[in-house]
Coordinates of all heavy atoms in Angstrom, one line a residue:
G1 N 128.9 154.6 79.8 CA 129.6 154.5 81.1 C 129.2 153.2 81.8 O 128.4 152.5 81.3
M2 N 129.8 153.0 82.9 CA 129.5 151.9 83.7 C 128.2 152.0 84.4 O 127.8 153.1 84.8 CB 130.6 151.6 84.7 CG 132.0 151.3 84.1 SD 133.3 151.0 85.2 CE 133.6 152.6 85.8
G3 N 127.4 150.9 84.5 CA 126.1 151.0 85.2 C 125.6 149.6 85.5 O 126.3 148.7 85.5
G4 N 124.3 149.6 85.8 CA 123.7 148.4 86.3 C 122.9 147.6 85.2 O 121.9 146.9 85.6
A5 N 123.3 147.6 84.0 CA 122.6 146.9 83.0 C 123.1 145.5 82.7 O 122.9 144.9 81.6 CB 122.5 147.7 81.7
M6 N 123.9 145.0 83.6 CA 124.6 143.7 83.4 C 123.7 142.6 83.0 O 123.9 141.9 82.1 CB 125.5 143.4 84.6 CG 126.2 142.0 84.5 SD 127.3 141.6 85.9 CE 126.2 141.7 87.3
E7 N 122.6 142.4 83.8 CA 121.7 141.3 83.6 C 121.0 141.5 82.2 O 120.8 140.5 81.5 CB 120.6 141.3 84.7 CG 121.2 140.8 86.0 CD 121.8 142.0 86.8 OE1 121.6 143.2 86.4 OE2 122.5 141.7 87.8
L8 N 120.7 142.7 81.9 CA 120.0 142.9 80.6 C 120.9 142.5 79.4 O 120.6 141.9 78.5 CB 119.6 144.3 80.4 CG 118.4 144.8 81.3 CD1 118.2 146.3 81.2 CD2 117.2 144.0 81.0
A9 N 122.2 143.0 79.5 CA 123.2 142.7 78.5 C 123.5 141.2 78.3 O 123.5 140.7 77.3 CB 124.5 143.4 78.8
Q10 N 123.5 140.5 79.5 CA 123.8 139.1 79.4 C 122.7 138.2 78.9 O 122.9 137.2 78.3 CB 124.2 138.6 80.8 CG 125.6 139.1 81.3 CD 125.9 138.6 82.7 OE1 125.0 138.3 83.5 NE2 127.2 138.6 83.0
K11 N 121.5 138.7 79.1 CA 120.3 137.9 78.7 C 119.6 138.4 77.5 O 118.6 137.7 77.0 CB 119.3 137.8 79.9 CG 120.0 137.1 81.1 CD 119.1 137.1 82.3 CE 119.8 136.3 83.4 NZ 119.3 136.5 84.7
A12 N 120.0 139.4 76.9 CA 119.3 140.0 75.7 C 119.6 139.1 74.5 O 120.6 138.5 74.3 CB 119.9 141.3 75.4
N13 N 118.6 139.0 73.6 CA 118.7 138.2 72.4 C 119.6 139.0 71.4 O 120.4 138.5 70.6 CB 117.4 137.9 71.7 CG 116.6 137.0 72.5 OD1 117.1 136.1 73.1 ND2 115.3 137.1 72.5
R14 N 119.4 140.3 71.4 CA 120.2 141.2 70.5 C 120.5 142.5 71.3 O 119.7 143.0 72.1 CB 119.5 141.6 69.3 CG 119.2 140.5 68.4 CD 118.5 140.9 67.1 NE 119.5 141.7 66.4 CZ 119.2 142.5 65.3 NH1 118.0 142.6 64.9 NH2 120.2 143.1 64.7
L15 N 121.7 143.0 71.2 CA 122.1 144.1 71.9 C 122.7 145.2 71.0 O 123.8 144.9 70.4 CB 123.1 143.8 73.0 CG 123.6 144.9 74.0 CD1 122.4 145.4 74.8 CD2 124.6 144.4 75.0
M16 N 122.1 146.4 71.0 CA 122.6 147.5 70.2 C 123.1 148.6 71.1 O 122.4 149.0 72.0 CB 121.5 148.1 69.3 CG 121.9 149.3 68.5 SD 120.6 150.0 67.5 CE 120.5 148.9 66.2
I17 N 124.3 149.1 70.9 CA 124.9 150.1 71.7 C 125.0 151.4 70.9 O 125.4 151.4 69.7 CB 126.3 149.8 72.1 CG1 126.4 148.4 72.9 CG2 127.0 150.9 72.9 CD1 125.6 148.4 74.2
L18 N 124.5 152.5 71.5 CA 124.6 153.8 70.9 C 125.7 154.6 71.7 O 125.5 154.7 72.9 CB 123.3 154.6 70.9 CG 122.1 153.8 70.2 CD1 120.8 154.6 70.4 CD2 122.4 153.6 68.8
S19 N 126.7 155.1 71.0 CA 127.8 155.7 71.8 C 128.5 156.8 71.0 O 128.4 156.8 69.7 CB 128.8 154.6 72.2 OG 129.9 155.2 72.8
R20 N 129.1 157.7 71.6 CA 130.0 158.7 70.9 C 131.2 157.9 70.4 O 131.6 156.8 71.0 CB 130.5 159.7 71.9 CG 129.4 160.5 72.5 CD 128.8 161.6 71.7 NE 129.6 162.7 71.7 CZ 129.7 163.5 70.6 NH1 128.9 163.4 69.6 NH2 130.5 164.5 70.5
H21 N 131.7 158.3 69.3 CA 132.9 157.6 68.7 C 134.1 157.7 69.5 O 135.0 156.8 69.6 CB 133.0 158.1 67.3 CG 133.9 157.2 66.4 ND1 133.4 156.0 65.9 CD2 135.2 157.2 66.0 CE1 134.3 155.4 65.2 NE2 135.4 156.1 65.2
T22 N 134.3 158.9 70.1 CA 135.5 159.2 70.9 C 135.1 159.7 72.3 O 134.0 160.1 72.5 CB 136.4 160.2 70.2 OG1 135.6 161.4 70.0 CG2 136.9 159.7 68.9
D23 N 136.1 159.7 73.2 CA 135.9 160.2 74.5 C 136.1 161.7 74.5 O 136.4 162.3 73.5 CB 136.7 159.4 75.6 CG 138.2 159.6 75.4 OD1 138.6 160.5 74.6 OD2 138.9 158.8 76.1
K24 N 136.1 162.3 75.7 CA 136.3 163.7 75.9 C 137.7 164.2 75.4 O 137.8 165.3 75.0 CB 136.0 164.2 77.3 CG 134.6 164.0 77.7 CD 134.4 164.3 79.2 CE 133.0 164.0 79.7 NZ 132.9 164.2 81.1
K25 N 138.6 163.3 75.4 CA 140.0 163.7 75.0 C 140.3 163.3 73.6 O 141.4 163.4 73.1 CB 141.0 163.0 75.9 CG 140.9 163.4 77.4 CD 141.9 162.7 78.2 CE 141.8 163.2 79.7 NZ 142.8 162.6 80.5
G26 N 139.2 162.8 72.8 CA 139.4 162.6 71.4 C 139.9 161.1 71.1 O 140.2 160.8 70.0
R27 N 140.0 160.3 72.1 CA 140.5 158.9 72.0 C 139.3 158.0 71.6 O 138.2 158.1 72.1 CB 141.1 158.4 73.3 CG 142.3 159.2 73.7 CD 142.8 158.7 75.0 NE 141.8 158.9 76.0 CZ 142.0 159.0 77.3 NH1 143.2 159.0 77.8 NH2 141.0 159.3 78.1
G28 N 139.5 157.1 70.6 CA 138.5 156.2 70.2 C 138.0 155.3 71.3 O 138.8 154.8 72.1
K29 N 136.7 155.1 71.4 CA 136.2 154.2 72.4 C 136.2 152.8 72.1 O 136.2 151.9 73.0 CB 134.7 154.6 72.7 CG 134.6 156.0 73.4 CD 133.1 156.1 73.8 CE 133.0 157.3 74.8 NZ 131.6 157.4 75.2
L30 N 136.3 152.5 70.8 CA 136.4 151.0 70.4 C 137.9 150.6 70.5 O 138.7 151.1 69.7 CB 135.9 150.9 69.0 CG 135.7 149.5 68.5 CD1 134.9 148.6 69.4 CD2 135.1 149.5 67.1
V31 N 138.2 149.7 71.5 CA 139.5 149.3 71.7 C 139.7 147.8 71.5 O 138.7 147.1 71.4 CB 139.9 149.7 73.2 CG1 140.0 151.2 73.4 CG2 139.0 149.0 74.2
E32 N 140.9 147.4 71.3 CA 141.2 146.0 71.1 C 140.9 145.2 72.3 O 140.4 144.1 72.2 CB 142.7 145.9 70.7 CG 143.1 144.5 70.1 CD 142.4 144.3 68.7 OE1 142.3 145.2 67.9 OE2 142.0 143.1 68.5
R33 N 141.3 145.7 73.5 CA 141.1 144.9 74.7 C 140.6 145.9 75.8 O 141.2 146.9 76.0 CB 142.4 144.3 75.2 CG 142.2 143.3 76.3 CD 143.4 142.6 76.7 NE 143.6 141.2 76.5 CZ 142.7 140.2 76.1 NH1 141.5 140.5 75.9 NH2 143.1 139.0 76.0
C34 N 139.5 145.5 76.5 CA 138.9 146.4 77.5 C 139.8 146.4 78.7 O 140.4 145.4 79.1 CB 137.5 145.8 77.9 SG 136.6 146.9 79.0
R35 N 139.9 147.6 79.3 CA 140.8 147.8 80.4 C 140.0 147.8 81.7 O 140.5 148.0 82.8 CB 141.6 149.1 80.3 CG 142.6 149.1 79.1 CD 143.1 150.5 78.9 NE 144.0 150.5 77.7 CZ 143.5 150.7 76.4 NH1 142.2 150.9 76.3 NH2 144.3 150.7 75.4
L36 N 138.7 147.7 81.6 CA 137.8 147.7 82.8 C 137.2 146.3 83.0 O 137.3 145.5 82.0 CB 136.6 148.7 82.5 CG 137.1 150.2 82.4 CD1 135.9 151.0 81.9 CD2 137.7 150.7 83.7
P37 N 136.7 146.0 84.2 CA 136.1 144.7 84.3 C 134.9 144.5 83.4 O 134.1 145.4 83.2 CB 135.6 144.7 85.8 CG 136.4 145.8 86.4 CD 136.7 146.8 85.4
L38 N 134.8 143.3 82.8 CA 133.8 143.0 81.8 C 132.6 142.3 82.6 O 132.8 141.5 83.5 CB 134.3 142.0 80.8 CG 135.3 142.5 79.8 CD1 135.8 141.5 78.9 CD2 134.8 143.7 79.0
T39 N 131.4 142.7 82.2 CA 130.2 142.1 82.8 C 129.5 141.2 81.8 O 128.8 140.3 82.2 CB 129.2 143.2 83.2 OG1 128.9 144.1 82.1 CG2 129.9 144.1 84.3
A40 N 129.6 141.5 80.5 CA 129.0 140.7 79.5 C 129.8 140.7 78.2 O 129.5 141.3 77.2 CB 127.6 141.2 79.2
A41 N 130.9 139.9 78.2 CA 131.8 139.9 77.1 C 131.2 139.3 75.8 O 130.4 138.4 75.8 CB 133.0 139.1 77.4
G42 N 131.4 140.0 74.7 CA 131.0 139.5 73.4 C 129.5 139.5 73.1 O 129.0 138.8 72.3
C43 N 128.8 140.3 73.8 CA 127.3 140.3 73.7 C 126.8 141.4 72.8 O 125.6 141.4 72.4 CB 126.6 140.4 75.0 SG 126.9 142.0 75.9
V44 N 127.6 142.3 72.3 CA 127.1 143.4 71.5 C 126.9 143.0 70.0 O 127.9 142.4 69.4 CB 128.1 144.6 71.5 CG1 127.7 145.7 70.5 CG2 128.2 145.2 72.9
D45 N 125.8 143.2 69.4 CA 125.5 142.8 68.1 C 125.8 144.0 67.1 O 126.3 143.8 66.0 CB 124.1 142.4 67.9 CG 123.7 141.2 68.7 OD1 124.3 140.1 68.3 OD2 122.9 141.3 69.6
T46 N 125.4 145.2 67.6 CA 125.5 146.4 66.7 C 126.0 147.5 67.6 O 125.5 147.8 68.7 CB 124.2 146.8 66.1 OG1 123.7 145.7 65.4 CG2 124.3 148.0 65.1
L47 N 127.0 148.3 67.1 CA 127.5 149.5 67.7 C 127.3 150.6 66.7 O 127.7 150.6 65.6 CB 129.0 149.4 68.1 CG 129.7 150.6 68.5 CD1 129.1 151.2 69.8 CD2 131.2 150.4 68.6
V48 N 126.6 151.7 67.2 CA 126.3 152.9 66.3 C 126.9 154.1 67.0 O 126.7 154.4 68.2 CB 124.8 153.1 66.2 CG1 124.5 154.3 65.3 CG2 124.1 151.8 65.6
T49 N 127.8 154.8 66.2 CA 128.3 156.1 66.7 C 127.9 157.1 65.7 O 127.3 156.8 64.7 CB 129.9 156.0 66.8 OG1 130.4 156.0 65.5 CG2 130.4 154.8 67.5
E50 N 128.3 158.4 66.0 CA 128.0 159.4 65.0 C 128.8 159.4 63.7 O 128.5 160.0 62.7 CB 128.2 160.8 65.7 CG 129.6 161.2 65.9 CD 130.3 160.7 67.2 OE1 129.7 159.8 67.8 OE2 131.4 161.1 67.5
Q51 N 129.8 158.5 63.7 CA 130.6 158.3 62.5 C 130.4 157.1 61.7 O 130.5 157.0 60.5 CB 132.1 158.3 62.9 CG 132.6 159.6 63.5 CD 134.1 159.6 63.7 OE1 134.8 158.8 63.2 NE2 134.6 160.5 64.6
A52 N 129.9 156.0 62.4 CA 129.8 154.7 61.7 C 128.9 153.7 62.4 O 128.5 153.9 63.5 CB 131.3 154.1 61.5
V53 N 128.7 152.6 61.7 CA 127.9 151.5 62.3 C 128.8 150.3 62.2 O 129.4 150.0 61.1 CB 126.6 151.2 61.5 CG1 125.9 150.0 62.1 CG2 125.7 152.5 61.6
F54 N 128.9 149.5 63.3 CA 129.7 148.3 63.4 C 128.7 147.2 63.7 O 127.8 147.3 64.6 CB 130.8 148.4 64.5 CG 131.7 149.5 64.3 CD1 131.4 150.8 64.8 CD2 132.9 149.3 63.6 CE1 132.3 151.9 64.6 CE2 133.8 150.4 63.5 CZ 133.5 151.6 64.0
R55 N 128.9 146.0 63.1 CA 128.0 144.8 63.4 C 128.9 143.6 63.6 O 129.9 143.5 62.9 CB 127.1 144.6 62.2 CG 126.0 145.6 62.1 CD 124.7 145.0 61.5 NE 123.7 146.0 61.5 CZ 123.5 147.0 60.6 NH1 124.3 147.0 59.6 NH2 122.6 147.9 60.7
R56 N 128.4 142.8 64.5 CA 129.2 141.5 64.8 C 128.9 140.5 63.7 O 127.8 140.2 63.4 CB 128.8 141.0 66.2 CG 129.5 139.7 66.5 CD 129.3 139.3 68.0 NE 129.7 140.3 68.9 CZ 131.0 140.5 69.3 NH1 132.0 139.8 68.7 NH2 131.3 141.4 70.2
R57 N 130.0 140.0 63.2 CA 130.0 138.9 62.2 C 131.2 138.0 62.5 O 132.3 138.5 62.8 CB 130.2 139.5 60.8 CG 129.0 140.3 60.3 CD 129.3 140.8 58.9 NE 128.1 141.7 58.5 CZ 128.2 142.5 57.5 NH1 129.3 142.6 56.7 NH2 127.2 143.2 57.1
D58 N 130.9 136.8 62.5 CA 132.0 135.8 62.7 C 132.8 136.1 64.1 O 134.0 135.9 64.2 CB 133.0 135.8 61.6 CG 132.4 135.5 60.3 OD1 131.5 134.6 60.3 OD2 132.8 136.1 59.3
G59 N 132.0 136.5 65.1 CA 132.6 136.7 66.4 C 133.3 138.0 66.6 O 133.9 138.2 67.7
R60 N 133.3 138.9 65.6 CA 134.0 140.2 65.9 C 133.2 141.3 65.2 O 132.5 141.1 64.2 CB 135.5 140.2 65.4 CG 135.7 139.8 64.0 CD 137.1 139.6 63.6 NE 137.9 140.7 63.8 CZ 139.1 140.9 63.3 NH1 139.5 140.0 62.4 NH2 139.8 142.0 63.5
L61 N 133.5 142.5 65.6 CA 132.8 143.7 65.0 C 133.4 144.0 63.7 O 134.7 144.0 63.5 CB 132.8 144.9 65.9 CG 132.0 144.8 67.2 CD1 132.2 146.0 68.1 CD2 130.5 144.7 66.9
H62 N 132.6 144.4 62.7 CA 133.0 144.8 61.4 C 132.4 146.2 61.1 O 131.3 146.5 61.5 CB 132.4 143.8 60.3 CG 133.1 142.5 60.2 ND1 133.0 141.6 61.3 CD2 133.8 141.9 59.3 CE1 133.7 140.5 60.9 NE2 134.2 140.7 59.7
L63 N 133.2 147.0 60.4 CA 132.7 148.3 60.0 C 131.7 148.1 58.8 O 132.2 147.5 57.7 CB 133.8 149.2 59.6 CG 133.5 150.6 59.0 CD1 132.7 151.4 60.0 CD2 134.8 151.3 58.5
V64 N 130.5 148.4 58.9 CA 129.5 148.1 57.8 C 128.9 149.4 57.2 O 128.4 149.3 56.1 CB 128.3 147.2 58.3 CG1 128.9 145.8 58.7 CG2 127.6 147.8 59.4
E65 N 128.9 150.5 57.9 CA 128.3 151.8 57.4 C 129.1 152.9 57.8 O 129.6 152.9 59.0 CB 126.9 152.0 57.8 CG 125.9 151.0 57.2 CD 124.5 151.3 57.7 OE1 124.1 152.5 57.5 OE2 123.8 150.4 58.1
V66 N 129.3 153.9 57.0 CA 130.1 155.1 57.3 C 129.2 156.4 57.0 O 128.6 156.4 56.0 CB 131.4 155.2 56.5 CG1 132.1 156.5 56.8 CG2 132.2 154.0 56.9
H67 N 129.2 157.3 57.9 CA 128.5 158.6 57.7 C 129.2 159.3 56.6 O 130.4 159.2 56.4 CB 128.6 159.5 59.0 CG 127.8 160.7 58.9 ND1 128.2 161.8 58.3 CD2 126.5 160.9 59.4 CE1 127.3 162.8 58.4 NE2 126.3 162.2 59.0
P68 N 128.4 160.0 55.7 CA 129.0 160.7 54.5 C 130.1 161.7 54.8 O 130.9 162.0 54.0 CB 127.8 161.4 53.9 CG 126.6 160.8 54.5 CD 127.0 160.2 55.8
D69 N 130.1 162.2 56.0 CA 131.2 163.2 56.4 C 132.5 162.5 56.8 O 133.5 163.2 57.1 CB 130.7 164.1 57.6 CG 129.6 165.0 57.2 OD1 129.3 165.2 56.0 OD2 128.9 165.5 58.1
H70 N 132.5 161.2 56.8 CA 133.7 160.5 57.2 C 134.1 159.5 56.1 O 133.3 159.1 55.2 CB 133.5 159.8 58.5 CG 133.2 160.7 59.6 ND1 134.2 161.4 60.3 CD2 132.0 161.1 60.1 CE1 133.6 162.2 61.2 NE2 132.3 162.0 61.1
T71 N 135.3 159.0 56.2 CA 135.8 157.9 55.3 C 136.1 156.7 56.2 O 136.3 156.8 57.4 CB 137.0 158.3 54.6 OG1 138.1 158.5 55.6 CG2 136.8 159.6 53.8
P72 N 136.1 155.5 55.6 CA 136.5 154.3 56.4 C 137.9 154.5 57.0 O 138.1 154.2 58.2 CB 136.6 153.2 55.4 CG 135.7 153.6 54.3 CD 135.8 155.1 54.2
G73 N 138.8 155.2 56.3 CA 140.1 155.5 56.9 C 140.1 156.4 58.1 O 140.7 156.1 59.1
S74 N 139.3 157.4 58.1 CA 139.2 158.3 59.2 C 138.5 157.7 60.4 O 138.9 157.9 61.6 CB 138.5 159.6 58.9 OG 137.1 159.4 58.6
V75 N 137.5 156.8 60.1 CA 136.8 156.1 61.2 C 137.8 155.1 61.9 O 137.8 155.1 63.1 CB 135.6 155.3 60.6 CG1 135.0 154.4 61.7 CG2 134.5 156.3 60.2
L76 N 138.5 154.4 61.1 CA 139.4 153.4 61.7 C 140.6 154.0 62.3 O 141.1 153.5 63.3 CB 139.8 152.4 60.6 CG 138.7 151.5 60.0 CD1 139.2 150.7 58.9 CD2 138.0 150.7 61.1
A77 N 141.1 155.2 61.8 CA 142.2 155.9 62.4 C 141.9 156.3 63.8 O 142.8 156.5 64.6 CB 142.7 157.0 61.5
S78 N 140.7 156.6 64.1 CA 140.3 157.1 65.5 C 140.0 156.1 66.5 O 139.6 156.4 67.6 CB 139.1 158.1 65.3 OG 138.0 157.4 64.8
I79 N 140.2 154.8 66.1 CA 140.0 153.7 67.1 C 141.2 152.8 67.2 O 142.0 152.9 66.3 CB 138.7 152.8 66.8 CG1 138.9 152.1 65.4 CG2 137.5 153.7 66.8 CD1 137.8 151.2 65.1
E80 N 141.3 152.1 68.4 CA 142.4 151.3 68.6 C 142.3 149.9 68.0 O 143.2 149.2 67.7 CB 142.6 151.2 70.1 CG 143.7 150.3 70.6 CD 143.8 150.2 72.1 OE1 143.7 151.2 72.8 OE2 143.9 149.0 72.5
A81 N 141.0 149.4 67.9 CA 140.7 148.0 67.6 C 141.0 147.8 66.1 O 140.9 148.7 65.3 CB 139.3 147.7 67.9
D82 N 141.4 146.6 65.8 CA 141.6 146.2 64.4 C 140.3 145.6 63.9 O 139.8 144.6 64.3 CB 142.7 145.0 64.3 CG 142.9 144.6 62.9 OD1 142.7 145.3 62.0 OD2 143.3 143.4 62.8
V83 N 139.6 146.5 63.1 CA 138.2 146.1 62.6 C 138.2 145.9 61.1 O 138.6 146.8 60.4 CB 137.3 147.3 63.0 CG1 135.9 147.0 62.5 CG2 137.3 147.5 64.5
P84 N 137.7 144.8 60.7 CA 137.6 144.5 59.2 C 136.5 145.4 58.6 O 135.5 145.8 59.3 CB 137.2 143.1 59.1 CG 137.3 142.5 60.5 CD 137.3 143.6 61.4
V85 N 136.6 145.8 57.4 CA 135.7 146.6 56.7 C 134.8 145.7 55.8 O 135.4 144.9 55.0 CB 136.4 147.7 55.8 CG1 135.4 148.5 55.0 CG2 137.3 148.6 56.7
A86 N 133.5 145.8 55.9 CA 132.6 145.0 55.1 C 132.7 145.4 53.6 O 133.0 146.5 53.3 CB 131.1 145.3 55.6
D87 N 132.5 144.3 52.8 CA 132.4 144.6 51.4 C 131.1 144.0 50.9 O 130.9 142.8 50.9 CB 133.6 143.8 50.7 CG 133.7 144.1 49.3 OD1 133.2 145.1 48.8 OD2 134.3 143.3 48.6
P88 N 130.2 144.8 50.4 CA 130.4 146.3 50.2 C 130.1 147.1 51.5 O 129.3 146.7 52.3 CB 129.2 146.6 49.2 CG 128.2 145.6 49.5 CD 128.9 144.4 50.0
L89 N 130.8 148.2 51.6 CA 130.6 149.1 52.7 C 129.5 150.1 52.3 O 129.4 150.6 51.2 CB 131.9 149.9 52.9 CG 131.8 150.9 54.0 CD1 131.7 150.2 55.4 CD2 133.1 151.8 54.0
E90 N 128.5 150.3 53.3 CA 127.4 151.1 53.0 C 127.7 152.6 53.5 O 128.4 152.8 54.4 CB 126.1 150.6 53.6 CG 125.7 149.2 53.2 CD 124.5 148.7 53.8 OE1 123.6 149.5 54.2 OE2 124.4 147.5 54.0
T91 N 127.0 153.5 52.8 CA 127.0 154.9 53.3 C 125.7 155.4 53.7 O 124.7 155.1 53.0 CB 127.5 155.8 52.1 OG1 128.8 155.4 51.7 CG2 127.6 157.3 52.6
W92 N 125.6 156.1 54.9 CA 124.3 156.6 55.3 C 123.7 157.5 54.3 O 124.4 158.3 53.7 CB 124.5 157.4 56.6 CG 124.9 156.5 57.8 CD1 124.8 155.2 57.9 CD2 125.3 157.0 59.1 NE1 125.2 154.8 59.2 CE2 125.5 155.9 59.9 CE3 125.6 158.2 59.6 CZ2 125.9 156.0 61.2 CZ3 126.0 158.4 60.8 CH2 126.2 157.3 61.7
E93 N 122.4 157.5 54.2 CA 121.7 158.5 53.5 C 121.2 159.5 54.4 O 120.6 159.2 55.4 CB 120.5 157.9 52.7 CG 121.0 156.9 51.6 CD 119.8 156.4 50.8 OE1 118.8 157.2 50.6 OE2 119.9 155.3 50.3
V94 N 121.5 160.8 54.1 CA 121.2 161.9 55.0 C 120.0 162.6 54.5 O 119.9 162.9 53.3 CB 122.4 162.8 55.3 CG1 122.0 163.9 56.2 CG2 123.5 162.1 55.8

């Protein structure tokens, strides 16, 4: 959610976000363009959800790991953003 971590996000060397993959209505939280005011654009290095791990490479987030209960297709189908899939794609060990 929105909060007061703006200074931390802007000045951090690395920023990892832990988040649910979808909101309460089942919509993906990873979107192509943010609809809210931005406080620290482009500062996230790693995004971890219960379905997958995304890492910033070449200025954009890439899908790099998928939970064994999900497929790359199901992960990407539930988000709005156009996200490249890493090659090789890793699978979490449970």
Side-chain angles (χ1 to χ4, degrees):
M2 294 181 287
M6 176 175 60
E7 291 84 11
L8 292 173
Q10 288 177 335
K11 295 178 180 166
N13 291 329
R14 295 186 65 196
L15 186 61
M16 176 184 282
I17 303 297
L18 305 175
S19 177
R20 303 278 286 149
H21 197 77
T22 58
D23 65 13
K24 294 177 186 177
K25 295 182 180 180
R27 298 176 297 207
K29 288 188 171 186
L30 188 55
V31 295
E32 194 66 38
R33 188 174 250 348
C34 187
R35 294 171 187 88
L36 299 171
L38 294 177
T39 56
C43 64
V44 174
D45 297 294
T46 306
L47 169 64
V48 180
T49 74
E50 72 278 8
Q51 294 184 21
V53 177
F54 302 86
R55 287 207 176 87
R56 181 170 298 283
R57 295 180 180 164
D58 304 320
R60 60 191 296 202
L61 290 176
H62 288 65
L63 176 62
V64 296
E65 293 182 49
V66 176
H67 188 278
D69 293 343
H70 298 278
T71 65
S74 69
V75 169
L76 296 176
S78 61
I79 62 175
E80 176 186 312
D82 179 28
V83 177
V85 178
D87 184 23
L89 181 67
E90 298 180 34
T91 302
W92 289 348
E93 291 186 32
V94 180

